[in-house]
Amino acid sequence: MALKGLLVPHLLPESCYDEFFLRLNFLHIPCLKILISKGLGYAIIATSIMVKLPQIVKIVGAQSAEGLSFHSLLLELLATTGTMVYSVANSFPFSSWGEALFLMLQTAAIAFLVQYFKGHTDRAVAFLVVYVGVVALLLSSLTPMAVVTALQASNVPAIVVGKLLQAATNYWNGHTGQLSAVTALLLLLGAIVRIFTSIQETGDPLMALTYVITATCNGILVGQLLYYWDVPPARRKKD
């Protein structure tokens, strides 16, 4: 059946398809959890394709990356790259981690723009070349699984330090500069939903912990965006 080919195995395992459409048991809790988790996962992935586009548009439109911390972006890139590589290595379902791929690509683009609009075109190009090489190496058979696991484990401190660097930059500047409120809010909501989907689809406590920390740190940045909402970028914090 066409419907079965569409749903199995992308949204439902075959046993749950039989439960819903052959036995008509639409209240089967374990299968409902799987369906909800898969649906939320794919919704997050679809949103992630454009989640940082507002940030990119804001930087390009202003011809400035003022207020954005390059080091914070590098740590965020470490975290998303680690999640992507770890998930591929463990053969986790794409619905449980797919947004990491798109966030990784967009974060790399933003990091490039930060360097470019600071007048460091050579550094920007060198950054992209080195990063692509590192990702290719991590995805290859040359990288031991122990290294991949250590990279994922480093996500928690990388996320905390990276987000706190951005939060500190906002505090010392007295405004959030070109930080996009839309992007920050979408990242917060996505991380909250991912706590559930990572537990449901992977059962990996390291993945779940990563999203708990991510949600907390993104919440801090969203709070700053609200606090500094009416502060114009031209204004600086005065002692």
Side-chain angles (χ1 to χ4, degrees):
M1 292 177 61
L3 180 60
K4 185 174 182 178
L6 180 65
L7 296 178
V8 179
H10 309 294
L11 286 175
L12 291 170
E14 189 164 357
S15 59
C16 286
Y17 177 87
D18 292 343
E19 198 70 44
F20 285 155
F21 297 100
L22 297 183
R23 301 184 184 91
L24 301 180
N25 182 12
F26 298 111
L27 298 179
H28 190 270
I29 300 302
C31 288
L32 280 175
K33 286 183 177 181
I34 292 173
L35 180 61
I36 292 171
S37 179
K38 290 281 189 182
L40 288 173
Y42 282 119
I44 291 173
I45 293 171
T47 303
S48 73
I49 295 174
M50 296 185 296
V51 72
K52 291 202 170 187
L53 187 60
Q55 182 68 80
I56 294 172
V57 169
K58 192 171 184 180
I59 293 172
V60 174
Q63 296 287 289
S64 167
E66 180 187 15
L68 293 177
S69 167
F70 181 70
H71 294 100
S72 174
L73 288 166
L74 287 182
L75 289 170
E76 185 177 348
L77 199 55
L78 171 64
T80 53
T81 303
T83 296
M84 187 272 291
V85 173
Y86 182 75
S87 299
V88 171
N90 283 282
S91 300
F92 289 151
F94 185 70
S95 59
S96 70
W97 63 269
E99 80 281 0
L101 172 63
F102 298 109
L103 291 176
M104 180 186 80
L105 295 174
Q106 293 169 82
T107 302
I110 293 171
F112 171 85
L113 291 173
V114 168
Q115 288 296 322
Y116 178 78
F117 284 118
K118 286 184 177 180
H120 305 310
T121 305
D122 53 343
R123 293 184 191 176
V125 174
F127 157 72
L128 282 184
V129 172
V130 171
Y131 178 65
V132 170
V134 169
V135 172
L137 177 62
L138 289 172
L139 289 173
S140 74
S141 58
L142 297 174
T143 305
M145 189 59 195
V147 173
V148 173
T149 302
L151 182 62
Q152 175 66 12
S154 72
N155 277 3
V156 172
I159 291 168
V160 171
V161 174
K163 296 295 184 181
L164 289 182
L165 277 174
Q166 183 61 62
T169 299
N170 296 338
Y171 175 77
W172 291 114
N173 286 344
H175 63 80
T176 53
Q178 300 303 320
L179 192 64
S180 168
V182 174
T183 294
L185 182 58
L186 288 175
L187 289 173
L188 171 60
L189 295 176
I192 291 173
V193 173
R194 269 298 178 215
I195 297 171
F196 166 72
T197 62
S198 61
I199 293 173
Q200 180 65 34
E201 294 200 54
T202 71
D204 191 309
L206 191 55
M207 288 281 282
L209 176 62
T210 298
Y211 288 117
V212 169
I213 300 298
T214 300
T216 302
C217 293
N218 283 331
I220 293 173
L221 294 183
V222 170
Q224 285 188 315
L225 281 161
L226 293 173
Y227 183 77
Y228 293 121
W229 189 262
D230 294 324
V231 178
R235 181 177 166 184
R236 291 288 181 272
K237 185 181 178 70
K238 298 180 179 180
D239 294 328

